[in-house]
């Protein structure tokens, strides 16, 4: 019987700290066995799942198979095994369409779950916003008021107000319980391209919001008083996206090829330039924590406003522990990764897409970036370094949007080819295909609790998918 080969291994945290002494391990040691060892070393109270990497290559099966045979490493040298904690809870992949909800009379352009995942809204080319009852999966209220297409929708971080931006140059505010219009914010000279609310941990009253427009400006509104507090003007072309960061700063991307970062008083903090064409999309590594605010995957309601702010602050602190990163996707086929707090230069220029980069998104744990492009592919990149990780191929037409599961283990993509696809991040392969839409799928969202997915598109139907 052949003797099992042994290797010398050293555990190391993602921050570079060594854990425990160098160990002599059998080369066929599996990822599960490594998990048992690291939980022993760290003396964790409860067993936590970990993923393991050698030279940025993940150990999926065993060291022998993935690293020595698959990665060309010698068993004679000391292997540094980097461990990274994973989410405790597991999201189950959605597998079936539980409802096809009709009602919109034009294409569904945006779908969004509320921060606690208990409410669902959709915006459409038929000028309405609809709010759906998730317990019965039926239409609850229709919000009418816009005089042209509804292009974007955004929930207030406490879930009490829904904002929508339209082709009619206005932002409207809705009461999600009754569907009543709470107010109209007028002032932009062209249509609204994006909306962003101030994070809950900075403002528990949740009454400030930024709107970006084709007119080249971003306006910051007090939604209670329904007035514009200040306007951010400096971009020389349409503003395509706006993000309100956890440090209070506002990030804007524009067709003038630049990204600008603004202070909370409306003054310009810095300009990031480097793209050779329009900036289409921005994502922050803390986006998921900012979007869900006080709610974790259990969606337990906070006791009061102070409790909500405390919870949101804790969740943001955890998400921003290793510094906040910003990624931008452009019509120049590239993406740039920035560390806006420390440098005006990009950390990495991420090339590989053959066509326009349409949408980028950080995983909830901030470790990976997914990008969707008109070249029919979804690509994965390292969220810290910007290095290329994998291409996810399977769509046969442009990919419009990507969306992560709350545990960062799966990715969902929506495409012009009328399908949704779920990708397994461990194997970097297709896990499930979800056909059902009759035409292009423009918008998709995975609920923060991971229990359902909503999608909408050109066929005017909103579909709800369940495990």
């Amino acid at each position: 019987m052949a003797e099992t080969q042994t290797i010398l291994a050293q555990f190391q945290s993602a921050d570079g700290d060594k854990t425990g002494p160098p160990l002599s391990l059998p080369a066929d040691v599996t990822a599960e066995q490594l998990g048992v060892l690291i939980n022993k070393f760290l003396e964790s109270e409860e067993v936590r799942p970990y993923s393991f990497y050698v030279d940025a290559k993940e150990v999926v099966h065993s060291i022998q198979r993935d690293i020595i045979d698959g990665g060309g490493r010698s068993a004679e040298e000391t292997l540094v095994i980097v461990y990274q904690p994973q989410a405790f809870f597991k999201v189950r992949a959605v597998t079936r369409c539980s409802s096809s909800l009709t009602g919109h009379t034009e294409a569904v352009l945006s779908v969004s779950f509320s921060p606690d995942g208990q409410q669902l809204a959709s915006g459409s080319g038929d000028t309405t916003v609809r709010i759906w009852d998730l317990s019965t999966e039926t239409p609850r209220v229709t919000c009418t008021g816009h005089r042209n297409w509804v292009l974007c929708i955004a929930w207030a971080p406490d879930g009490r107000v829904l904002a929508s931006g339209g082709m009619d140059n206005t932002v409207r505010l809705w009461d999600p319980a009754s569907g009543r219009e709470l107010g109209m914010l007028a002032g932009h000279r062209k249509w609204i391209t994006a909306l962003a609310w101030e994070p809950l941990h900075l403002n528990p009253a949740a009454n400030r919001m930024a709107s970006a427009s084709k007119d080249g400006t971003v306006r910051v509104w007090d939604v209670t008083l329904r007035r514009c507090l200040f306007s951010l003007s400096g971009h020389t072309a349409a503003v395509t996206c706006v993000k309100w960061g956890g440090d209070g700063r506002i990030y804007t991307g524009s067709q003038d090829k630049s990204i600008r970062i603004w202070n909370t008083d409306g003054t310009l903090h810095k300009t990031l330039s480097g793209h050779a064409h329009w900036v289409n999309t921005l994502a922050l590594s803390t986006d998921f924590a900012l979007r869900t605010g006080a709610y974790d995957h259990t969606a337990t309601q906070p006791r009061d406003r102070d409790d909500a702010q405390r919870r949101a602050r804790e969740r943001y602190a955890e998400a921003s522990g290793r510094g906040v990163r910003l990624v931008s996707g452009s019509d120049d086929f590239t993406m740039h990764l920035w560390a806006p707090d420390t440098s005006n230069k990009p950390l990495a220029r991420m090339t590989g897409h053959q066509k326009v980069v349409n949408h980028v998104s950080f995983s909830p744990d901030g470790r990976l970036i997914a990008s969707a492009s008109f070249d029919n592919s979804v690509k994965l990149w390292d969220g810290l370094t910007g290095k290329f990780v994998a291409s996810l191929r399977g769509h046969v037409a442009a990919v419009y949007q990507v969306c992560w599961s709350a545990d960062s283990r799966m990715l969902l993509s929506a495409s012009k080819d009328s399908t949704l696809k779920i990708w397994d991040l461990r194997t970097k392969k297709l896990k499930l295909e979800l056909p059902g839409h009759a035409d292009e799928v423009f918008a998709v969202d995975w609920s923060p609790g991971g229990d359902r997915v909503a999608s909408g598109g050109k066929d005017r139907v909103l579909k709800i998918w369940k495990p």
Side-chain angles (χ1 to χ4, degrees), residues 275-297:
H275 280 297
H277 209 311
W278 298 350
V279 177
N280 293 328
T281 172
L282 294 175
L284 289 165
S285 56
T286 51
D287 271 347
F288 188 77
L290 295 177
R291 171 206 170 160
T292 49
Y295 300 97
D296 61 8
H297 61 98

Side-chain angles (χ1 to χ4, degrees), residues 168-296:
D168 59 3
N169 310 351
T170 68
V171 176
R172 289 173 197 253
L173 305 165
W174 313 94
D175 171 10
S178 65
R180 194 168 50 85
E181 186 176 327
L182 299 172
M184 179 176 85
L185 310 175
H188 282 297
R189 295 187 310 282
K190 286 191 179 165
W191 63 81
I192 314 299
T193 54
L195 300 168
W197 288 82
E198 186 171 18
L200 191 69
H201 67 271
L202 298 176
N203 177 7
N207 63 353
R208 298 209 302 168
M209 181 185 67
S211 61
S213 168
K214 170 88 168 127
D215 65 14
T217 68
V218 172
R219 285 174 175 260
V220 174
W221 308 88
D222 181 316
V223 298
T224 324
L225 303 174
R226 321 261 182 272
R227 67 187 178 91
C228 180
L229 298 172
F230 49 85
S231 181
L232 309 175
S233 45
H235 283 296
T236 54
V239 181
T240 53
C241 42
V242 60
K243 296 277 177 193
W244 200 316
D247 55 359
R249 294 204 172 102
I250 295 172
Y251 301 77
T252 57
S254 163
Q255 291 183 351
D256 67 9
K257 305 187 282 203
S258 76
I259 298 156
R260 288 175 183 248
I261 305 175
W262 310 81
N263 296 315
T264 24
D265 58 0
T267 54
L268 182 66
H269 172 60
K270 61 166 72 165
T271 302
L272 305 176
S273 43
H275 280 297
H277 209 311
W278 298 350
V279 177
N280 293 328
T281 172
L282 294 175
L284 289 165
S285 56
T286 51
D287 271 347
F288 188 77
L290 295 177
R291 171 206 170 160
T292 49
Y295 300 97
D296 61 8

